[in-house]
């Protein structure tokens, strides 16, 4: 029986979301096929101890809330690591880099792909190079020029941190005053901001799993009472739901699946992705 380690938590602002994801996996993974162990990482795990050794800082806790004193030796006892950490330290490739350094197998994309997908500006640059259609956008920092943004993007606009997830720090601006407020809000989470043209359209997604032979899912349509799919709609509004298959024409379904596969391959994804 394969020994699987579920790794969750972490120090990002998505710590709580990671815990919810881990619970879902633990409730659904086949215990008859896998011997499953879970380890939670406290929000301050990255802080070095007096010996400057982050591998033994005691902030990784097993299911009995006992501190793990040697992280690498502990992880080497498993066949594969399933990293369910959201945000930085995992989605940016740090955890995967550590695992690869010690030749430990893990689920999901390699460190480089993780970073490329986590940094929305890098994702957009690569997909632009491959002529993947995208919403009009600009990437700015704290030294932004309001006139230049409005010149390039019409209201309403979506403002989001460049490196963040779970819709944290995302808002919709309909005028200059809101734009300034929401840029400052997004800057709390990252030093780069994406400003996009807001499109009133269906929220559609497609899942892909596999390595050599890819399995592409049917299209899911996210239904929510919110103006857009924000944090509240994702995690706190019980009325939000995903309809599978989505109510869309067949040719649109094929187009989305085709584009999703191209994106998966262009970004060198492996294992699984949601697009």
């Amino acid at each position: 029986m394969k020994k699987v380690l579920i790794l969750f938590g972490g120090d990002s602002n998505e710590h709580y979301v990671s815990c919810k994801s881990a619970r879902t996996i633990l409730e659904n993974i086949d215990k008859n096929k896998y011997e499953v162990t879970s380890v939670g990482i406290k929000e301050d795990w990255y802080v070095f101890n007096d010996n400057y050794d982050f591998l033994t800082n005691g902030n990784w806790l097993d299911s009995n809330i006992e501190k793990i004193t040697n992280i690498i030796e502990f992880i080497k006892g498993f066949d594969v690591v399933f990293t369910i950490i959201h945000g930085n330290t995992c989605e940016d490739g740090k955890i995967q880099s550590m695992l690869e350094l010690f030749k430990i197998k893990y689920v999901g994309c390699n460190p480089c792909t993780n970073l490329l997908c986590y940094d929305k500006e890098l994702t957009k640059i690569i997909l632009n190079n491959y002529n993947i259609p995208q919403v009009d956008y600009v990437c700015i920092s704290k030294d932004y020029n309001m006139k230049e943004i409005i010149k390039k993007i019409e209201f309403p606009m979506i403002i989001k941190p460049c490196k963040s997830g779970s819709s944290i720090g995302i808002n919709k601006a309909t005028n200059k005053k809101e734009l300034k407020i929401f840029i400052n809000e997004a800057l709390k989470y990252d030093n780069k901001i994406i400003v996009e043209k807001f499109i009133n359209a269906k929220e559609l997604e497609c899942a892909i799993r596999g390595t050599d032979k890819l399995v592409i899912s049917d299209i899911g349509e996210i239904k929510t009472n919110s103006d857009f799919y924000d944090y509240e709609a994702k995690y706190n509004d019980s009325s939000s739901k995903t309809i599978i298959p989505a109510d869309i024409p067949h040719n649109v379904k094929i187009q989305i699946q085709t584009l999703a596969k191209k994106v998966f391959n262009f970004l060198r994804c492996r294992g699984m992705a949601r697009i």
Side-chain angles (χ1 to χ4, degrees), residues 33-247:
K33 292 179 64 176
Y34 307 105
E35 182 182 334
V36 183
T37 301
S38 60
V39 165
I41 303 177
K42 292 174 66 178
E43 293 177 87
D44 60 348
W45 80 276
Y46 64 91
V47 179
F48 288 71
N49 65 8
D50 293 338
N51 296 320
Y52 301 100
D53 183 4
F54 81 94
L55 298 180
T56 58
N57 70 0
N59 291 318
W60 292 41
L61 307 176
D62 63 22
S63 56
N64 296 316
I65 319 299
E66 295 291 331
K67 294 180 180 179
I68 298 170
T69 56
N70 191 311
I71 294 165
I72 296 302
E73 287 304 313
F74 177 83
I75 293 178
K76 283 183 176 180
F78 297 89
D79 295 299
V80 65
V81 179
F82 200 167
T83 55
I84 312 300
I85 303 167
H86 293 257
N88 57 38
T89 73
C90 183
E91 287 187 277
D92 59 2
K94 290 190 182 76
I95 287 286
Q96 292 82 357
S97 296
M98 182 185 77
L99 296 174
E100 290 206 353
L101 183 65
F102 292 97
K103 301 187 186 309
I104 297 169
K105 293 182 179 180
Y106 60 90
V107 176
C109 301
N110 64 59
C112 181
T113 293
N114 271 282
L115 178 59
L116 293 178
C117 293
Y118 186 56
D119 188 320
K120 297 177 181 66
E121 181 187 26
L122 297 181
T123 305
K124 289 176 177 294
I125 289 171
I126 292 172
L127 296 186
N128 273 337
N129 184 66
Y130 286 106
N131 299 314
I132 298 295
Q134 298 185 63
V135 176
D136 291 338
Y137 77 96
V138 293
C139 185
I140 63 172
S141 63
K142 63 180 180 180
D143 300 319
Y144 64 91
N145 185 312
M146 180 76 75
K147 291 183 179 179
E148 285 298 314
I149 297 173
I150 297 173
K151 183 179 179 181
K152 294 179 180 179
I153 311 293
E154 296 180 353
F155 288 108
M157 306 174 187
I158 287 287
I159 299 91
K160 64 180 74 172
C162 202
K163 300 186 292 295
S164 187
S166 299
S167 295
I168 293 174
I170 297 183
N171 287 284
K172 175 184 173 183
T174 58
N175 54 57
K176 290 182 181 179
K177 182 179 179 180
E178 290 180 347
L179 178 59
K180 183 176 181 179
I181 292 172
F182 294 146
I183 288 176
N184 290 333
E185 172 69 17
L187 284 169
K188 295 177 182 178
Y189 302 99
D190 191 25
N191 57 7
K192 290 196 303 181
I193 306 301
I194 293 287
V195 181
E196 294 176 319
K197 170 64 180 172
F198 175 78
I199 303 294
N200 186 20
K202 290 178 181 288
E203 184 86 25
L204 303 170
E205 60 183 14
C206 179
I208 298 180
R209 65 175 175 84
T211 49
D212 298 326
K213 185 177 181 180
L214 301 181
V215 177
I216 304 175
S217 77
D218 211 328
I219 310 304
E221 178 180 356
I222 299 167
K223 293 282 192 177
T224 174
N225 292 324
S226 301
D227 198 17
F228 64 96
Y229 198 37
D230 59 10
Y231 184 91
E232 286 297 313
K234 283 184 176 180
Y235 303 111
N236 297 326
D237 187 351
S238 59
S239 67
S240 296
K241 57 186 177 181
T242 302
I243 298 173
I244 304 173
D247 183 18

Side-chain angles (χ1 to χ4, degrees), residues 208 210 214 260-270 273:
I208 298 180
L214 301 181
K261 183 178 179 180
K262 287 182 178 180
V263 169
F264 189 91
N265 289 328
F266 291 154
L267 292 170
R268 303 296 187 265
C269 296
R270 74 180 186 200

